[in-house]
Amino acid sequence: MERKKRTYTESVEKLRNVGLKPTRQRIALANILFSKGFRHIKAEDLYNEAISENIKVSLATIYNCLHQFTEAGLLREIKIDSTCSYFDTNLEPHHHYYFEKSKRVEDIIIDYKTSTITLPEPPQGGKIRTIDIVARVDA
Amino acid sequence: MERKKRTYTESVEKLRNVGLKPTRQRIALANILFSKGFRHIKAEDLYNEAISENIKVSLATIYNCLHQFTEAGLLREIKIDSTCSYFDTNLEPHHHYYFEKSKRVEDIIIDYKTSTITLPEPPQGGKIRTIDIVARVDA
DNA sequence: ATTTGTGCAAATCGTTTGCATCTGA
DNA sequence: TCAGATGCAAACGATTTGCACAAAT
């Protein structure tokens, strides 16, 4: 009970900090997303999890929130599979394993002591926003 | 005329080599894909290009062929954007710039003299099939 | 002749949108 | 109060599927 209350307060704070009004649904989703370690989650999964916790929320709101959280810098969207989007709660620079059979995503922490990537300048003077590395695993 | 005929024959050969029956549509699509340098193409684009060259083909066949070509090792599918798939005619190991505004894809040839990537072992004993590197450019 | 490919239209799937209703400050 | 959030169902766009017809060997 105490723990639950603390999680709730933390979610409210987190939302306020990024300028999002702490509504029932946003608080509940933030609780799910941020209270038990790093996660890679699909909209559908988050929806099911919310429903199974008796949170009254629609799929449209799930999508809205995921995008709002991403824009606010609470999540990072990862594009791995053309059939669906994943959202990552780990904001630190890191990369991913993608298990193609189980469609699961897992973090890779690259050791930059033994890794260097040198890219040529992008043509047309654009700035590189991110570099995504995905190791696709046959499992 | 002579050049056209040679391209045609080459496409027929190429299809036979990978065990695909050289039908009108497959030959025509192979001509488009493989006769003018490396390309990154979407199903829709290939369809439009085919139509504008008066090739009688349906979108369903475009998808069939792209997948058959990919399985046969003539193309490589690249997953960059969750809204659509790209197919790359360059089979050499290389990576990509993705211009997010124009949704264009361009090759990066990484210089492995100055780049090394060391990944930890994938968990669960799966084998790494490919490593995809996408530099997302704000242009 | 027999196998294989193709076209079409309908179905599917993840995601987005429009709009009426509700909620939080 | 009242801007902003939510729910619902319908719209969407890329891709796939089922099945009758056509083409390649």
Side-chain angles (χ1 to χ4, degrees):
Chain A
M1 265 293 92
E2 266 317 299
R3 158 156 256 97
K4 210 163 203 170
K5 196 177 255 173
R6 192 163 70 244
T7 301
Y8 178 91
T9 312
E10 280 167 8
S11 293
V12 171
E13 283 302 298
K14 195 181 277 254
L15 290 168
R16 285 230 173 83
N17 286 339
V18 297
L20 290 172
K21 196 188 281 187
T23 64
R24 286 190 206 310
Q25 291 81 342
R26 297 215 267 230
I27 296 163
L29 297 179
N31 290 347
I32 295 179
L33 289 169
F34 305 116
S35 67
K36 23 188 158 130
F38 295 140
R39 317 197 51 174
H40 307 94
I41 202 166
K42 290 183 270 192
E44 193 83 31
D45 296 339
L46 181 55
Y47 179 67
N48 291 330
E49 222 169 299
I51 294 303
S52 76
E53 294 188 17
N54 294 311
I55 295 158
K56 203 179 160 302
V57 68
S58 73
L59 192 50
T61 297
I62 298 284
Y63 278 104
N64 284 339
C65 289
L66 285 172
H67 290 135
Q68 291 153 356
F69 287 12
T70 303
E71 254 180 77
L74 300 177
L75 290 175
R76 180 199 194 195
E77 187 171 1
I78 50 186
K79 292 167 184 187
I80 285 193
D81 190 282
S82 32
T83 64
C84 65
S85 285
Y86 288 81
F87 293 84
D88 191 342
T89 60
N90 183 354
L91 300 172
E92 294 305 308
H94 70 283
H95 302 289
H96 298 99
Y97 282 117
Y98 183 55
F99 299 92
E100 300 196 311
K101 284 180 191 145
S102 54
K103 295 186 153 235
R104 257 190 34 267
V105 179
E106 204 160 301
D107 286 353
I108 304 177
I109 308 301
I110 289 187
D111 180 359
Y112 286 102
K113 290 190 208 72
T114 56
S115 298
T116 7
I117 304 165
T118 311
L119 300 182
E121 276 297 301
Q124 305 160 358
K127 277 212 165 47
I128 294 180
R129 210 177 42 69
T130 34
I131 296 177
D132 293 348
I133 302 184
V134 179
R136 295 176 193 279
V137 179
D138 210 347
Chain B
M1 260 300 83
E2 266 318 298
R3 159 156 256 99
K4 210 162 203 169
K5 195 178 255 172
R6 191 163 71 242
T7 301
Y8 178 92
T9 313
E10 279 167 8
S11 292
V12 171
E13 284 301 298
K14 195 181 276 256
L15 291 168
R16 286 229 171 83
N17 285 341
V18 297
L20 288 173
K21 197 188 279 188
T23 64
R24 285 190 206 310
Q25 289 83 341
R26 296 214 267 230
I27 296 163
L29 297 178
N31 289 347
I32 294 179
L33 289 169
F34 305 116
S35 67
K36 23 187 161 149
F38 295 140
R39 317 197 50 173
H40 308 94
I41 202 166
K42 290 183 269 190
E44 193 83 33
D45 295 340
L46 181 55
Y47 178 67
N48 291 330
E49 223 168 299
I51 294 302
S52 77
E53 293 188 18
N54 294 310
I55 295 158
K56 201 180 162 306
V57 67
S58 74
L59 192 50
T61 297
I62 298 283
Y63 278 104
N64 284 338
C65 288
L66 285 173
H67 289 136
Q68 292 153 354
F69 288 11
T70 302
E71 256 181 76
L74 300 176
L75 290 176
R76 180 197 192 197
E77 187 171 1
I78 49 187
K79 292 166 183 187
I80 284 192
D81 190 282
S82 32
T83 63
C84 65
S85 285
Y86 289 80
F87 293 85
D88 191 342
T89 60
N90 182 355
L91 300 172
E92 295 304 308
H94 70 284
H95 302 288
H96 298 99
Y97 282 118
Y98 182 55
F99 299 92
E100 300 197 310
K101 283 180 190 145
S102 54
K103 296 186 153 235
R104 258 191 31 268
V105 180
E106 203 161 301
D107 286 352
I108 303 177
I109 308 300
I110 288 189
D111 181 0
Y112 286 102
K113 290 191 208 71
T114 55
S115 299
T116 1
I117 305 164
T118 311
L119 299 183
E121 275 297 300
Q124 305 159 359
K127 278 213 165 47
I128 294 179
R129 209 177 44 68
T130 34
I131 296 178
D132 293 349
I133 301 184
V134 180
R136 294 177 194 278
V137 180
D138 209 350

